[in-house]
C-alpha cells in the first residue's frame, strides 16, 4: 500500500462549484500534513498546511481526520484559475528520521 | 533572495553518459531534497539531506548519488544515465520543524531530462 494516496481525477467542475479532494495516509504516526498546488509544467507551491483543528484560507478549507487517516481540501466558488493539480504531502516517521512524502496529485479542471 | 535555483532547465543525454544536476538555495535551509516526477507517479523522493554532511536515501535512490558539502548546495549525480531516468527533477529545500521534520518545501523550477 502506498504511504500517501490520492484520486488522480480529473475532476471537471463548472465555475462556481464546490469541490472536495481527499488524501489518505497509511502511517498512523504521521505528524504534519500539507496541500500543494502545481500548475502545468511548473514546480509545486504550498497552498496550505493542515492543522489538527482544520484551517481556512479564503475559499479553501483543509481538514484532518486522524481516526480515518485522511486529509481533505475543499474549494468553494471555484474559479477558472483554480485549474491545477493538487498534491497532498505528509511527514512520515522513518527509522532514520522524518521525511516528506507526496501523493500523486489530483487534477482539477474548472470549466465555464 | 533567489530562492531555490536549478541548472540546467533542460538536458538530453545518451545512455551511459554521466551528469550532475545542480541545486542551490540561499534561504539557509537545513533540509534539501531531490524528487523526480513522472506521469501518474507523482513526486518520488530520490535523496534528501537534513544538513551539511548528512544525506539519506528516499524512495527511488538507485542510479543517483548526492553529496551535501555546504548548506547551500545539493547536487544530484547520474553516474550512467538510463532511459528509465527520463523525468522531471525537482530540488526542494525547507527549514526543519520543531519535531525535526521538514516544513514548507520551496521547490526549484525543475530540470527536464531526456535520456536517449
Amino acid at each position: 500500500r502506498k504511504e500517501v494516496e490520492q484520486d488522480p481525477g480529473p475532476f471537471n467542475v463548472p465555475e462556481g462549484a464546490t469541490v472536495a479532494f481527499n488524501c489518505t495516509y497509511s502511517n498512523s504516526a504521521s505528524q504534519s500534513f500539507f496541500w500543494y498546488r502545481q500548475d502545468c509544467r511548473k514546480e509545486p507551491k504550498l497552498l496550505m498546511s493542515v492543522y489538527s483543528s482544520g484551517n481556512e484560507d479564503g475559499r479553501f478549507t483543509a481538514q484532518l481526520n486522524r481516526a480515518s487517516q485522511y486529509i481533505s481540501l475543499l474549494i468553494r466558488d471555484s474559479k477558472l484559475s483554480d485549474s491545477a493539480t493538487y498534491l497532498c504531502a505528509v511527514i512520515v516517521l522513518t527509522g532514520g528520521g522524518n521525511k516528506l512524502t507526496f501523493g500523486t496529485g489530483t487534477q482539477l479542471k474548472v470549466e465555464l | 533572495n533567489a530562492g531555490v535555483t536549478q541548472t540546467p532547465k533542460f538536458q538530453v543525454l545518451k545512455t551511459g553518459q554521466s551528469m550532475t544536476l545542480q541545486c542551490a538555495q540561499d534561504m539557509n535551509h537545513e533540509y534539501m531534497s531531490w524528487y523526480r516526477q513522472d506521469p501518474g507517479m507523482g513526486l518520488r523522493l530520490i535523496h534528501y539531506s537534513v544538513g551539511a554532511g548528512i544525506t539519506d536515501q528516499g524512495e527511488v535512490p538507485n542510479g543517483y548519488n548526492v553529496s551535501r558539502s555546504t548548506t547551500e548546495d545539493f547536487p544530484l549525480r547520474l553516474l550512467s544515465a538510463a532511459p528509465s531516468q527520463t523525468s522531471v527533477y525537482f530540488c526542494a529545500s525547507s527549514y526543519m520543524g520543531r519535531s525535526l521534520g521538514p516544513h514548507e518545501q520551496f521547490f526549484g523550477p525543475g530540470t527536464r531530462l531526456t535520456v536517449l
Side-chain angles (χ1 to χ4, degrees):
Chain A
R1 181 184 174 187
K2 289 184 180 178
E3 291 178 344
V4 182
E5 294 197 70
Q6 293 183 254
D7 182 342
F11 284 59
N12 297 313
V13 302
E15 200 173 16
T18 295
V19 62
F21 313 130
N22 284 343
C23 167
T24 59
Y25 59 94
S26 61
N27 189 329
S28 60
S30 297
Q31 294 185 334
S32 303
F33 309 87
F34 309 91
W35 282 104
Y36 284 77
R37 172 191 168 129
Q38 185 175 24
D39 294 301
C40 188
R41 301 182 70 79
K42 296 286 189 180
E43 71 271 24
K45 292 185 179 178
L46 183 70
L47 179 66
M48 56 200 309
S49 301
V50 186
Y51 305 124
S52 296
S53 56
N55 49 309
E56 185 174 314
D57 183 4
R59 298 181 292 108
F60 298 83
T61 301
Q63 297 279 355
L64 167 63
N65 186 317
R66 283 197 182 273
S68 300
Q69 295 185 199
Y70 72 89
I71 62 172
S72 63
L73 178 67
L74 181 78
I75 305 175
R76 290 181 298 277
D77 188 24
S78 300
K79 311 291 185 190
L80 293 175
S81 57
D82 294 333
S83 296
T85 296
Y86 292 84
L87 302 157
C88 65
V90 175
I91 291 183
V92 179
L93 299 181
T94 68
N98 301 343
K99 70 181 197 295
L100 189 64
T101 299
F102 284 84
T104 54
T106 297
Q107 189 178 11
L108 171 65
K109 296 181 180 179
V110 182
E111 302 163 332
L112 287 172
Chain B
N1 286 349
V4 181
T5 57
Q6 288 184 240
T7 56
K9 284 188 168 55
F10 301 92
Q11 183 70 49
V12 179
L13 292 178
K14 293 181 180 178
T15 297
Q17 285 185 315
S18 63
M19 79 159 297
T20 299
L21 307 186
Q22 300 292 345
C23 174
Q25 53 93 8
D26 61 0
M27 297 172 282
N28 202 32
H29 285 164
E30 303 96 329
Y31 187 91
M32 294 187 75
S33 54
W34 277 101
Y35 293 87
R36 60 177 288 173
Q37 188 173 37
D38 303 291
M41 303 293 287
L43 284 165
R44 292 185 291 170
L45 183 65
I46 304 171
H47 286 285
Y48 66 101
S49 168
V50 298
I54 306 168
T55 64
D56 205 349
Q57 296 181 349
E59 181 185 355
V60 288
N62 292 340
Y64 308 95
N65 281 350
V66 292
S67 60
R68 184 97 179 269
S69 56
T70 67
T71 299
E72 294 78 19
D73 299 297
F74 191 44
L76 178 72
R77 279 183 285 277
L78 284 71
L79 296 179
S80 179
S84 60
Q85 293 178 305
T86 293
S87 188
V88 180
Y89 291 85
F90 288 104
C91 177
S93 73
S94 76
Y95 291 112
M96 293 293 284
R98 286 177 297 166
S99 58
L100 297 182
H103 205 59
E104 174 189 355
Q105 297 288 295
F106 292 84
F107 285 85
T111 294
R112 283 162 176 76
L113 175 67
T114 300
V115 182
L116 302 175

